[in-house]
Amino acid sequence: MVAAWQAYGFMHGVINTDNVSVLGLTIDYGPYAFMDIFNSFHICNHTDSEGRYSYRSQPDMVIYALHVLLNALAPLIGAEQSSSPPKAVSPGWSEVSNDQIAAWKDQDIGAMKDDLERIMQAVISEEYVRLMRRRLGLRRQDESDESAIIRPLLRTMEDQVLDFHGTFRTLSRGAVVEKLLGANKDDGFRRTGSAGWGRREVGRDEEGKSEVHSEAVGAGGGHCKVEKDPDAGKRVMAKVLQMVCSPFDPWGAEDDSRPDEELSAEEREERRYCGLGDKSMLGFQCSCSS
């Protein structure tokens, strides 16, 4: 679950322990958001002043929630392990002294916490790399994919202030780094750094090891207040649903270099939805009651 959050730029916003399910379900996500301009430190909840639930901290917070669950179950686990051979406890097992409960809780709990963290980190990392390979269309796996391709790509996004989902969309069209930067260019954002990632990935592609594709595209842009104009609001929602259900269609005359004023009203609307939208809304933070 949390690996998919990271791969698709989803931010939960309030990963309290009671908002984490061992079933791997995304629940109780009030101030959630999807990544726009990539910023690994982005905080989508305006009440999270310390960045406890920032994008980059999400895997650690899920692991922390599991530590808390283990701590709550520790007396039960200790009681079961104290039997020889270990067996399930019987009714009334907890009707013992507090010292006995504490002893059961401390029994091998340190080693279990270490194992839990090690296993979770390995599972999250493996699933995250699998999903990122899928997003990039890497047909063959290489142990260096994360260090040589995925991390440098994310650094390039952050350094060049690129749109997270727009970057994958641009790469899906066989773009090298020059086209990538051009397609995401905006005079209001800084442009620094190098094209190192593009050279590395183009080199790999020329060797025939992989092709770069994208399996998803984000749609953003305009919004309207449905409560003030329900008919217009429903039309916008229907249009966005149509677009996200067919993400590989060239919405907004994607292959057309004509300026906006030469496009039809429908094409202009589609292009707006596929863009970054109102820049004053970038990095917008919701509250838990939003």
Side-chain angles (χ1 to χ4, degrees):
M1 174 191 70
V2 71
W5 290 357
Q6 302 305 101
Y8 290 95
F10 175 82
M11 291 163 284
H12 185 285
V14 57
I15 316 174
N16 299 334
T17 55
D18 60 323
N19 292 342
V20 177
S21 168
V22 293
L23 298 178
L25 304 175
T26 301
I27 60 175
D28 202 3
Y29 44 101
Y32 76 95
F34 280 91
M35 187 71 73
D36 290 315
I37 297 298
F38 183 69
N39 175 9
S40 60
F41 291 93
H42 182 62
I43 304 165
C44 64
N45 183 351
H46 83 88
T47 61
D48 182 13
S49 59
E50 298 180 357
R52 180 177 176 85
Y53 305 131
S54 66
Y55 169 80
R56 66 181 297 140
S57 299
Q58 292 187 136
D60 291 336
M61 296 317 303
V62 169
I63 292 174
Y64 170 77
L66 291 177
H67 279 164
V68 174
L69 176 62
L70 175 60
N71 193 59
L73 295 176
L76 174 61
I77 296 172
E80 292 180 342
Q81 293 296 319
S82 65
S83 302
S84 184
K87 62 180 181 180
V89 296
S90 302
W93 69 273
S94 61
E95 296 174 1
V96 295
S97 68
N98 290 336
D99 289 342
Q100 180 61 73
I101 293 290
W104 282 337
K105 182 176 181 179
D106 293 337
Q107 184 175 324
D108 295 329
I109 194 67
M112 293 181 69
K113 283 185 176 180
D114 291 341
D115 287 343
L116 172 65
E117 183 162 348
R118 175 180 54 79
I119 292 170
M120 280 299 298
Q121 287 178 341
V123 169
I124 292 171
S125 177
E126 181 179 353
E127 178 65 4
Y128 172 73
V129 172
R130 184 189 72 82
L131 291 171
M132 290 297 283
R133 284 190 180 118
R134 185 179 176 186
R135 291 210 73 180
L136 289 166
L138 301 181
R139 296 180 177 179
R140 298 183 184 179
Q141 298 183 12
D142 190 290
E143 291 183 358
S144 66
D145 284 344
E146 183 174 13
S147 61
I149 297 176
I150 298 171
R151 290 180 187 171
L153 172 60
L154 295 177
R155 283 198 298 270
T156 298
M157 287 188 199
E158 201 151 19
D159 290 344
Q160 302 295 330
V161 200
L162 301 180
D163 175 51
F164 184 71
H165 299 286
T167 295
F168 287 102
R169 178 65 173 182
T170 304
L171 289 173
S172 75
R173 310 184 69 75
V176 294
V177 74
E178 288 79 9
K179 182 177 178 182
L180 174 64
L181 298 182
N184 286 274
K185 184 177 180 180
D186 188 293
D187 292 337
F189 296 132
R190 60 187 172 86
R191 297 286 151 198
T192 60
S194 70
W197 182 86
R199 286 194 294 269
R200 276 194 297 272
E201 185 51 24
V202 169
R204 173 169 173 173
D205 190 40
E206 289 171 349
E207 293 171 4
K209 292 184 179 179
S210 70
E211 293 181 6
V212 181
H213 297 287
S214 172
E215 66 158 8
V217 55
H223 60 85
C224 67
K225 294 186 176 181
V226 178
E227 69 274 16
K228 290 187 176 181
D229 191 345
D231 291 333
K234 290 176 182 178
R235 190 191 70 78
V236 169
M237 293 175 67
K239 181 63 179 181
V240 171
L241 180 61
Q242 177 193 14
M243 293 172 68
V244 298
C245 287
S246 301
F248 293 107
D249 288 357
W251 299 109
E254 187 174 25
D255 296 319
D256 197 324
S257 60
R258 288 178 298 162
D260 288 355
E261 55 268 21
E262 295 182 13
L263 302 178
S264 68
E266 186 81 0
E267 289 171 331
R268 287 197 299 272
E269 181 183 43
E270 293 170 359
R271 182 171 288 184
R272 184 165 63 93
Y273 291 163
C274 291
L276 287 175
D278 185 350
K279 293 180 178 54
S280 66
M281 297 293 290
L282 291 177
F284 182 78
Q285 294 176 311
C286 295
S287 69
C288 288
S289 59
S290 295

